[in-house]
Amino acid sequence: MNEHPGANLKFVSRKRRVREDKRFVTGTAVFAQDVNLPNMKHCAVVQSPYPRAKILSIDASLALAMEGVRYVLTGDEFRANANDMKFGLNTPEVKWYPLAVDMTRYAGEWVAVVVADDPYTAEDAAELVEVDYEALKPIIDPEQAYEEKDRLVHPAHGSNVLYDGHFYWGTVDEDFVAAEERLSYRVRWGRSSTVPIETFGVVARWDEAVDILDVWASIQMPNYVELLAATLRIPLNCVRLHQDVDVGGSYGVKRGIKHSVIVGYLSRLLRAPVRMIEDRLINMASGDAHGPDRIFDTQVAFNRDGKILSLKIRALDDAGAYPGRAPFQLAKPISAIVGPYKINSVQYDAISVLTNKTGQVPVRGFGQSPTNYMIETAVDKVARHLNLDRIEVRRRNFINHDEFPYQIPSGSKYDSGDYHTVLQKALDAANYDELINRRDAARAEGRLAGIGIGTCLEPGGGNNIFEYLMNPSAEITTFSEGAEIRVDPDGLVTGVVGTTTSGQGHETLVATIIGEELGIDPDDIRVVHADSLNAPITRSPVASRMAIMLGSSTAAAAQKIIAKAMKIAAYNLQEPEDDLEYVDGSVFVRRDPVRKLTWREICFIAHKAYHKMPDDMEPGLQAQHVFQVPGGGQLPDESQRVQIYPCFSFQAHIPYVEIDPGTGHVKILDYAIGHDCGTMINPDIVRGMVIGGLAHGIGAALYEKFAYRPDGQFESATFADYLMPSVYEVPMVKDVDHCTPSPLTSHGQKGSGEGGYLGAPAAIASAVNDALHPMGVSIHELPMRSYLIENLLNGGKTDP
Amino acid sequence: MKPAPFDYALATSIDEATSYLADGNGEAIVLAGGQTLMPMLSMRLARPELVIDINGVDELFGIEETDDSVIIKACTRQVTALHSEIVKSRVPLLHKAMHFVGHFQTRNRGTIGGSVAHSDPAAEIPLAALALDSEVELRNVNGSRRVAMADYVVGPLMTAREPDELLVAVHLPAIVPGVTTATSFHEVSERHGDFAVVAVAAHLTFDGAICTKAAVAFGGVDDTPVRIPEFETGLIGETLAYGVPDAALDLISDGINPGSDQHASANYRRRVARTLANRAVSEAAADARGGA
């Protein structure tokens, strides 16, 4: 693999316009809310005001008496006619229905759904549904939930513990005994998320003539169609998800399976299309859209030269009332549990507990960002403890460029990397020496100034084996992705994507790679999103996987097209294939290039001139390829060591912050990032991901929190209380790229959708603590809100 | 609709608007820029029977000045006030406060009168109006009256406006020649444009180097924006060249009654109110020295 791709690439890595931009800029994209069907009905939900309560009765008679109201659905009816939603853990008594059954488990939980001819009537009628509750004392604190024996979120489950796993990789106890130094600390990652511009929306229509449930949804979720069919008790090939609707932002959270089974059920029952669109309050309070909420207790064993030998990690994650895929966010980090460092052994205790809060869903990085914050805190603490430079400690522990592929204690083999070089590029971009002068000058004037150092690994393209790690009855060892290329008789090329897209630029990705392989201008290639009954195999655009998986499957399908074109040319030119060369669509005789078959000729023959085809060749010119996850396909060994993700991107973040000592307010004044995701398919898309990820990470680090009061009431349902960074809070960024190609993918590409978000919280925490260091205090929880910092500066330990 | 059902009336004159209010039996609400009211309607936190839209009332737009005051009509957009040369030169405290009001998108729509009418205890415009000893002009079908800002804000989101009254203008005392006036506005919020966690508006008058008159209003620290007379008295007769005397700052804590919420504790608000008061007053004093 070329270390510096570019010279021999026509389209890949070239700065080319992102083809999806046009429809977003011109306002012509089609979202779920734009799907309007004749006789469509609309939904409004009735929410529980109590975080934990028995449902004594539901009286919908007043609502049903309103003109235009068609139906009121309750949890009891749904349970009688459909299955609970399965999410992968082996916890059969933790039943998740889309509407509360018998009891409510968080403030805002849906108790009933009103269906009406228009959404306004539905809203009015929802207020008329009378629900009698018997309020119960909720369980809110995750540590208490872990110990609690009586106050249970799901009483039939017998405890509030969803998962309590123990991993021990390598000689942890020996390393802790041998180490010259040890330290321990706690960090807490607050409950935040990604909050897309578009809330979740779904339209369902049951087509009685053909027994198909048509679904248009703002969805980004693996196994969505499978879960929909299984929950509604209909065959899998009765569900047709239309994947040509755009998804207005996601990064993991667009998983409205609850909404979808409701409208699917109702559309069949009412023989009419049914639509449900969340409003913002529902999205925030009860749309199943909160991210990880995690406490880490970590011990580090290290030597006086700064070399880290071993980690003992206890991660306690608050999954809320219904786990969904949340617990698995404790498992992805296993694939990079030592970050970019050579650490000999690790103990990892991963605990997921139920509380009376909104259920947690996957968020960008699938648990890796909190874990990275914990790992980077360890490195900073080791440096501080030894009075060593934070950069030097990182350099001493980094895996070296010539040591790849490198296997870490948990079994992951990192594909490639050059961490020293990327960190140096980031430091150069930050003008690090000048930055130190700037910080020290600010300090001399009595200001609180700090520089952050944060690095991160971004595992991409995973194979779902983490499900087996947490539930051995789930023997799933792949997470493949298919691509399809069709060439028409005119020689025009269409790529078929099997999923929805939520802004990642899959069409640009596919067109660029087909163009590169076939030597055709990507602007002339069409890319379509097939519905789920027509689509190639897909596991959806999660896990930073599409460049890796869809990119590689597309390249392989294109190679199949070329192989067939070569056979047709060899037959017609009467030359052996070895003597022919494929260049930009045409096939030449290498020693006599005047003799050739053009692309148009090849395509015409393939489709129309069967007499010019080799014997027994399949007519037409099309190809499919399903790409298997590199390094996947294996179950874990007896020590629970396994390869989960094939590709590992790397970033280094260098922020500069100042803190107002009187108010505790943090301002980010400068920011530099070095990033390496191997070969960039489209540099603008990568840059957008890096900088967007940074903005997302700034939110997690400083502002965003879904807050619950001790009595379980939810406090952050609006943007006045859930504080997302705006353009004023996101600094200009100096970003610099580097390319260490992956040996495992078609063009050396790796994932790039998550790294900005993985690196920023750790780096900003590092900067804040550097600024606080002269005052003798440090902060170890996110978001680092002003009042928490000001309290530390005032010597406060409690009652901030 | 997202809101609960309501009737809608588009007024084209003040008289028309006040007659709608008179007929509203206390269940009518006035729609100006809608930056607060529309979300409250959509969340069904406000459930009026009648919404009276005053955006078509031409006589409610504009900024006028007299020898000693600036009059901002109720429906004047916040962006207009922010960029007004009259406001900038004659009511500089309000000009400074306007930079902290929302975002340019909300300022394009939001109005001066709407913010004062709503009087959120953490909002900047009522805070500046209180520090300036402004008056609010209210009108009903029978006539008009002017209420001092200090009497206008009576509780959390509660004002002295009667249900049949329309807020038509805010009268702000203006800088007059020959008097050394200095102003400063300081605010802490997590993000630019948020409602203040704590805000302080200071309006000081100097004779030479000596402070002769002080008005300092605090926002975000009580049910309403508040002034603390003892604190203001403590500034008078001082040069304030070395900051605010501790004896004066010590009076702030008892003069406010902040609450705790997810964004800050009461203790934080007390400490920061003191910090910002010191900064605002010191900055104004330094300005006065520089400008004298």
Side-chain angles (χ1 to χ4, degrees):
Chain A
M1 189 59 60
N2 189 341
E3 287 276 324
H4 299 284
N8 54 344
L9 293 172
K10 283 198 184 71
F11 306 113
V12 165
S13 276
R14 298 292 177 210
K15 198 172 160 63
R16 293 173 54 83
R17 186 163 284 189
V18 176
R19 64 167 51 199
E20 289 86 346
D21 289 352
K22 185 174 175 184
R23 65 177 185 266
F24 297 124
V25 170
T26 57
T28 50
V30 172
F31 299 92
Q33 177 137 26
D34 298 317
V35 176
N36 281 293
L37 303 176
N39 195 34
M40 191 165 69
K41 306 302 175 196
H42 303 263
C43 296
V45 298
V46 178
Q47 295 179 275
S48 166
Y50 300 105
R52 186 162 175 263
K54 276 187 196 158
I55 300 172
L56 301 178
S57 67
I58 301 174
D59 180 356
S61 54
L62 285 175
L64 287 166
M66 261 187 78
E67 191 182 339
V69 173
R70 298 296 160 189
Y71 205 73
V72 176
L73 176 67
T74 64
D76 278 342
E77 179 186 333
F78 191 91
R79 176 173 55 177
N81 296 288
N83 296 328
D84 60 315
M85 297 177 286
K86 302 286 193 297
F87 43 85
L89 280 184
N90 188 18
T91 50
E93 294 309 316
V94 179
K95 296 211 185 295
W96 184 20
Y97 289 101
L99 299 169
V101 173
D102 300 333
M103 71 188 298
T104 70
R105 295 182 168 86
Y106 62 94
E109 182 171 5
W110 301 0
V111 175
V113 169
V114 176
V115 187
D117 290 345
D118 63 72
Y120 319 122
T121 305
E123 292 267 352
D124 293 342
E127 292 190 330
L128 301 178
V129 176
E130 290 178 15
V131 186
D132 268 350
Y133 299 96
E134 180 189 330
L136 303 169
K137 190 171 160 49
I139 183 88
I140 298 301
D141 180 79
E143 294 275 26
Q144 276 179 19
Y146 183 61
E147 304 292 341
E148 179 68 45
K149 297 284 177 278
D150 300 319
R151 221 180 329 145
L152 302 180
V153 178
H154 292 268
H157 180 59
S159 82
N160 289 320
V161 180
L162 272 172
Y163 178 76
D164 196 346
H166 304 278
F167 300 88
Y168 191 92
W169 298 296
T171 52
V172 178
D173 290 332
E174 293 88 335
D175 290 343
F176 264 79
V177 169
E180 293 166 355
E181 300 279 346
R182 284 162 288 276
L183 62 77
S184 64
Y185 63 92
R186 164 173 280 209
V187 290
R188 180 158 197 167
W189 176 276
R191 175 172 283 244
S192 57
S193 192
T194 79
V195 182
I197 291 175
E198 179 209 32
T199 57
F200 184 78
V202 57
V203 178
R205 173 186 65 192
W206 178 259
D207 188 331
E208 283 184 59
V210 289
D211 279 350
I212 283 182
L213 181 70
D214 280 304
V215 180
W216 295 261
S218 175
I219 195 78
Q220 183 214 0
M221 178 181 183
N223 310 320
Y224 171 76
V225 172
E226 286 95 320
L227 195 49
L228 203 52
T231 306
L232 294 176
R233 302 175 182 164
I234 57 179
L236 187 51
N237 64 359
C238 283
V239 180
R240 177 165 58 196
L241 176 67
H242 295 264
Q243 303 185 120
D244 51 353
V245 292
D246 276 301
V247 178
S250 176
Y251 286 107
V253 299
K254 282 287 176 63
R255 303 203 175 216
I257 186 65
K258 167 173 87 182
H259 322 50
S260 303
V261 297
I262 287 172
V263 296
Y265 174 80
L266 287 168
S267 69
R268 199 173 173 193
L269 181 77
L270 302 176
R271 300 182 167 196
V274 178
R275 178 164 92 179
M276 180 186 278
I277 308 283
E278 288 178 337
D279 68 14
R280 185 61 65 182
L281 297 177
I282 302 250
N283 173 262
M284 304 280 266
S286 53
D288 304 328
H290 295 185
D293 181 351
R294 201 170 286 185
I295 300 167
F296 292 97
D297 289 294
T298 301
Q299 299 174 55
V300 194
F302 54 102
N303 283 339
R304 296 199 181 100
D305 60 0
K307 280 288 297 168
I308 299 172
L309 306 181
S310 186
L311 297 171
K312 291 182 184 174
I313 303 160
R314 177 184 185 265
L316 177 75
D317 197 72
D318 180 346
Y322 298 97
R325 300 285 286 177
F328 299 113
Q329 298 192 83
L330 287 163
K332 173 171 183 173
I334 288 171
S335 65
I337 197 69
V338 295
Y341 308 111
K342 285 186 279 188
I343 296 175
N344 189 52
S345 60
V346 180
Q347 177 182 321
Y348 181 49
D349 301 320
I351 303 160
S352 178
V353 296
L354 294 154
T355 61
N356 290 114
K357 297 177 191 163
T358 297
Q360 185 194 115
V361 290
V363 162
R364 199 178 206 165
F366 208 60
Q368 190 68 29
S369 197
T371 306
N372 196 64
Y373 165 53
M374 177 274 296
I375 294 170
E376 289 295 285
T377 301
V379 182
D380 271 13
K381 282 191 170 290
V382 166
R384 195 68 82 193
H385 183 87
L386 298 170
N387 204 22
L388 291 172
D389 181 72
R390 291 172 293 168
I391 295 167
E392 184 54 31
V393 170
R394 282 177 172 80
R395 285 179 177 145
R396 287 179 192 174
N397 285 286
F398 273 159
I399 299 159
N400 291 307
H401 181 45
D402 58 8
E403 292 175 297
F404 292 92
Y406 183 90
Q407 190 168 36
I408 66 168
S410 61
S412 257
K413 208 177 273 178
Y414 295 170
D415 56 338
S416 65
D418 189 350
Y419 308 149
H420 293 87
T421 301
V422 177
L423 175 58
Q424 189 57 49
K425 279 189 166 184
L427 292 167
D428 291 345
N431 273 324
Y432 188 66
D433 292 340
E434 276 179 41
L435 202 58
I436 289 177
N437 292 338
R438 181 177 173 190
R439 176 192 67 184
D440 294 347
R443 285 179 176 175
E445 291 172 16
R447 306 208 302 272
L448 298 178
I451 299 169
I453 310 290
T455 68
C456 65
L457 282 188
E458 177 181 356
N463 60 20
N464 208 55
I465 193 69
F466 49 70
E467 192 161 326
Y468 178 87
L469 278 177
M470 298 177 83
N471 176 8
S473 68
E475 287 204 3
I476 300 166
T477 51
T478 187
F479 210 63
S480 54
E481 191 70 21
E484 185 177 316
I485 299 171
R486 301 178 193 145
V487 185
D488 66 25
D490 286 350
L492 297 170
V493 181
T494 300
V496 183
V497 178
T499 77
T500 53
T501 189
S502 45
Q504 301 97 329
H506 302 140
E507 293 152 40
T508 299
L509 164 73
V510 166
T512 305
I513 287 187
I514 293 175
E516 188 67 48
E517 297 295 321
L518 297 185
I520 294 174
D521 189 329
D523 287 346
D524 295 334
I525 296 169
R526 185 162 301 284
V527 180
V528 297
H529 294 266
D531 67 58
S532 61
L533 290 176
N534 279 314
I537 288 173
T538 181
R539 305 257 61 97
S540 91
V542 295
S544 250
R545 67 190 290 273
M546 291 312 254
I548 296 166
M549 298 297 297
L550 179 60
S552 296
S553 61
T554 299
Q559 287 302 323
K560 290 180 182 175
I561 298 277
I562 292 174
K564 187 164 181 179
M566 291 289 280
K567 285 192 167 52
I568 292 171
Y571 182 79
N572 284 278
L573 295 168
Q574 296 292 309
E575 295 283 349
E577 275 186 61
D578 286 350
D579 291 344
L580 302 179
E581 190 170 6
Y582 178 94
V583 180
D584 295 348
S586 299
V587 179
F588 297 83
V589 178
R590 200 177 277 119
R591 61 169 193 282
D592 183 11
V594 179
R595 294 178 58 213
K596 64 177 182 181
L597 217 54
T598 67
W599 180 244
R600 283 293 290 267
E601 288 167 341
I602 293 167
C603 296
F604 183 84
I605 291 168
H607 281 280
K608 304 275 177 80
Y610 196 68
H611 61 288
K612 293 186 179 175
M613 294 274 272
D615 291 348
D616 300 328
M617 183 173 263
E618 181 186 13
L621 191 53
Q622 60 279 317
Q624 262 207 9
H625 188 85
V626 180
F627 192 65
Q628 159 63 348
V629 182
Q634 300 295 317
L635 291 172
D637 68 11
E638 66 283 353
S639 308
Q640 293 179 293
R641 289 150 41 97
V642 68
Q643 182 84 28
I644 309 178
Y645 288 77
C647 299
F648 293 83
S649 303
F650 177 80
Q651 293 193 6
H653 289 224
I654 317 290
Y656 173 73
V657 307
E658 291 194 16
I659 302 173
D660 182 333
T663 67
H665 190 260
V666 177
K667 184 130 184 84
I668 302 171
L669 297 174
D670 233 320
Y671 212 108
I673 301 179
H675 58 90
D676 179 359
C677 60
T679 304
M680 296 187 287
I681 305 298
N682 182 297
D684 281 349
I685 290 179
V686 170
R687 187 154 193 267
M689 290 287 191
V690 170
I691 292 173
L694 162 66
H696 189 187
I698 288 173
L702 295 176
Y703 306 113
E704 296 179 35
K705 186 173 184 181
F706 288 118
Y708 283 85
R709 293 204 312 240
D711 66 4
Q713 287 301 328
F714 179 55
E715 289 196 293
S716 312
T718 75
F719 290 134
D721 288 319
Y722 187 83
L723 308 180
M724 299 181 71
S726 75
V727 68
Y728 294 101
E729 284 72 47
V730 180
M732 292 298 291
V733 181
K734 293 169 231 165
D735 63 304
V736 53
D737 57 71
H738 185 75
C739 179
T740 313
S742 173
L744 305 176
T745 57
S746 64
H747 294 83
Q749 70 270 30
K750 305 179 179 185
S752 71
E754 300 171 344
Y757 179 63
L758 305 184
I764 295 166
S766 171
V768 167
N769 281 324
D770 186 44
L772 294 176
H773 180 65
M775 309 303 288
V777 295
S778 57
I779 181 166
H780 293 300
E781 67 174 287
L782 306 185
M784 298 176 287
R785 299 293 290 271
S786 301
Y787 75 94
L788 297 171
I789 291 173
E790 189 269 356
N791 184 55
L792 288 168
L793 293 169
N794 263 288
K797 290 274 183 281
T798 56
D799 183 25
Chain B
M1 284 183 297
K2 293 302 292 179
F6 58 80
D7 289 329
Y8 170 86
L10 177 63
T12 55
S13 69
I14 291 175
D15 286 347
E16 205 180 337
T18 52
S19 72
Y20 282 130
L21 278 168
D23 296 340
N25 293 322
E27 298 299 331
I29 199 159
V30 173
L31 171 65
Q35 297 306 296
T36 301
L37 180 58
M38 293 311 296
M40 287 176 67
L41 288 172
S42 290
M43 291 189 272
R44 300 194 172 207
L45 295 172
R47 309 176 70 109
E49 289 179 3
L50 173 66
V51 170
I52 304 164
D53 186 342
I54 58 168
N55 286 281
V57 182
D58 290 345
E59 54 193 315
L60 286 175
F61 288 83
I63 299 173
E64 295 170 1
E65 60 181 326
T66 69
D67 286 347
D68 59 0
S69 72
V70 169
I71 301 155
I72 304 181
K73 307 286 186 60
C75 239
T76 304
R77 305 291 173 200
Q78 290 158 3
V79 65
T80 308
L82 173 65
H83 296 300
S84 160
E85 280 304 317
I86 294 174
V87 171
K88 187 177 178 184
S89 60
R90 304 208 58 207
V91 199
L93 179 62
L94 181 65
H95 176 75
K96 288 171 186 169
M98 291 311 299
H99 289 94
F100 293 90
V101 178
H103 300 269
F104 71 85
Q105 296 93 333
T106 64
R107 290 193 297 264
N108 285 341
R109 215 42 222 171
T111 66
I112 296 291
S115 178
V116 172
H118 186 60
S119 272
D120 189 292
E124 293 85 4
I125 296 169
L127 187 67
L130 180 68
L132 288 162
D133 289 320
S134 308
E135 289 183 344
V136 176
E137 184 181 346
L138 303 167
R139 198 180 300 181
N140 64 12
V141 290
N142 299 317
S144 70
R145 63 175 177 136
R146 281 163 64 160
V147 182
M149 195 63 198
D151 299 324
Y152 180 74
V153 286
V154 298
L157 304 179
M158 290 189 291
T159 70
R161 187 184 71 85
E162 295 295 335
D164 68 342
E165 286 181 314
L166 177 71
L167 192 160
V168 295
V170 182
H171 296 251
L172 304 130
I175 284 180
V176 292
V179 178
T180 305
T181 306
T183 61
S184 177
F185 194 97
H186 278 251
E187 174 170 317
V188 172
S189 58
E190 289 290 354
R191 298 173 307 174
H192 175 89
D194 281 339
F195 275 109
V197 174
V198 180
V200 175
H203 185 242
L204 308 178
T205 305
F206 287 85
D207 183 359
I210 305 297
C211 177
T212 56
K213 200 174 156 209
V216 181
F218 295 80
V221 292
D222 213 321
D223 287 347
T224 65
V226 291
R227 304 255 301 256
I228 306 167
E230 304 80 11
F231 171 68
E232 294 177 354
T233 307
L235 305 179
I236 293 169
E238 302 284 340
T239 66
L240 306 169
Y242 302 100
V244 179
D246 276 344
L249 292 173
D250 289 344
L251 297 168
I252 293 172
S253 188
D254 285 343
I256 58 179
N257 185 26
S260 290
D261 58 32
Q262 60 174 308
H263 301 299
S265 65
N267 286 337
Y268 174 84
R269 288 187 164 94
R270 284 182 198 283
R271 291 194 294 263
V272 170
R274 180 191 175 110
T275 299
L276 295 194
N278 192 18
R279 286 181 187 175
V281 170
S282 302
E283 184 182 280
D287 253 18
R289 284 194 302 280

